[in-house]
C-alpha cells in the first residue's frame, strides 16, 4: 500500500492532536468497517472555530486525515467548516490508497458531529 509523503508526514507529526479542556462541542464517531474511533473537540467564538483538537484510535490514514481536517477547519465559521468534505481532505494529502478512502470519512463526520453537538448545547442553554 502506497501512502503519499504528505500522509506519512501528517501521520508522523499530527497537528492538533490531544484533549481539549472544556470544549464547546465534541463529536465522536466510529467506523463500522474497521471499528476505529475518532473524537473532535471544538472551541467556538463569534461563530468561528477558534480552537480544535482531535484524538483518533485508528489507522495511519485516519490519524492523517483527522489532523488535516482540524487544520482546514481552524478559523472558519461553523457554516464554512460544515462544508469541508473528505474529498477535500484526501486532495490536500495528495490522495489515499483506495482501500483507505473510507478512513477519511471519519474526519468529515467527526467535524460535523462536533458542530452539531455545539449547536445542541447552545439550544439547550437558550432553552434555559
Ligand atoms: Fe479504520 Fe482506517 S482502517 S479508519
Amino acid at each position: 500500500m502506497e501512502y503519499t509523503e504528505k500522509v506519512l508526514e501528517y501521520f508522523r507529526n499530527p497537528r492538533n492532536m490531544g484533549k481539549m479542556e472544556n470544549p464547546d462541542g465534541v463529536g465522536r464517531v466510529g467506523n463500522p468497517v474497521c471499528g476505529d474511533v475518532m473524537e473532535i473537540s471544538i472551541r467556538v467564538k463569534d461563530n468561528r472555530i477558534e480552537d480544535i483538537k482531535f484524538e483518533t484510535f485508528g489507522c495511519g490514514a485516519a490519524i492523517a486525515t483527522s489532523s488535516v481536517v482540524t487544520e482546514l477547519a481552524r478559523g472558519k465559521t461553523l457554516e464554512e467548516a460544515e462544508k469541508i468534505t473528505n474529498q477535500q481532505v484526501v486532495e490536500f494529502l495528495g490522495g489515499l490508497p483506495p482501500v483507505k478512502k473510507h478512513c477519511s470519512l471519519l474526519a468529515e463526520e467527526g467535524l460535523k458531529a462536533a458542530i452539531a453537538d455545539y449547536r445542541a448545547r447552545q439550544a439547550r442553554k437558550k432553552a434555559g
Side-chain angles (χ1 to χ4, degrees):
M1 180 166 18
E2 288 280 308
Y3 280 133
T4 62
E5 253 322 296
K6 215 156 183 187
V7 174
L8 294 175
E9 154 64 13
Y10 268 86
F11 172 53
R12 292 190 195 114
N13 299 302
R15 283 72 154 171
N16 306 321
M17 191 162 73
K19 266 232 172 298
M20 184 184 288
E21 295 282 318
N22 303 317
D24 295 322
V26 178
R28 191 177 171 85
V29 290
N31 187 326
V33 181
C34 60
D36 290 347
V37 179
M38 77 101 60
E39 196 174 285
I40 285 198
S41 311
I42 54 173
R43 183 161 352 268
V44 180
K45 197 168 173 216
D46 299 332
N47 199 47
R48 266 181 205 281
I49 297 184
E50 187 186 52
D51 196 12
I52 178 161
K53 287 217 177 310
F54 81 93
E55 284 189 298
T56 296
F57 305 97
C59 70
I63 291 172
T65 52
S66 309
S67 182
V68 167
V69 95
T70 60
E71 285 208 314
L72 294 179
R74 185 185 288 278
K76 290 213 164 53
T77 65
L78 296 178
E79 292 72 24
E80 288 165 348
E82 265 179 326
K83 291 197 191 110
I84 296 172
T85 63
N86 72 315
Q87 196 49 42
Q88 277 170 275
V89 173
V90 172
E91 274 166 26
F92 182 95
L93 287 167
L96 276 178
V99 295
K100 287 284 168 185
K101 283 260 162 68
H102 74 274
C103 312
S104 63
L105 272 178
L106 274 187
E108 178 188 324
E109 287 170 1
L111 176 60
K112 291 200 165 115
I115 294 171
D117 181 52
Y118 168 75
R119 292 204 167 116
R121 290 186 196 199
Q122 293 303 104
R124 276 201 296 275
K125 266 191 208 157
K126 267 194 201 138

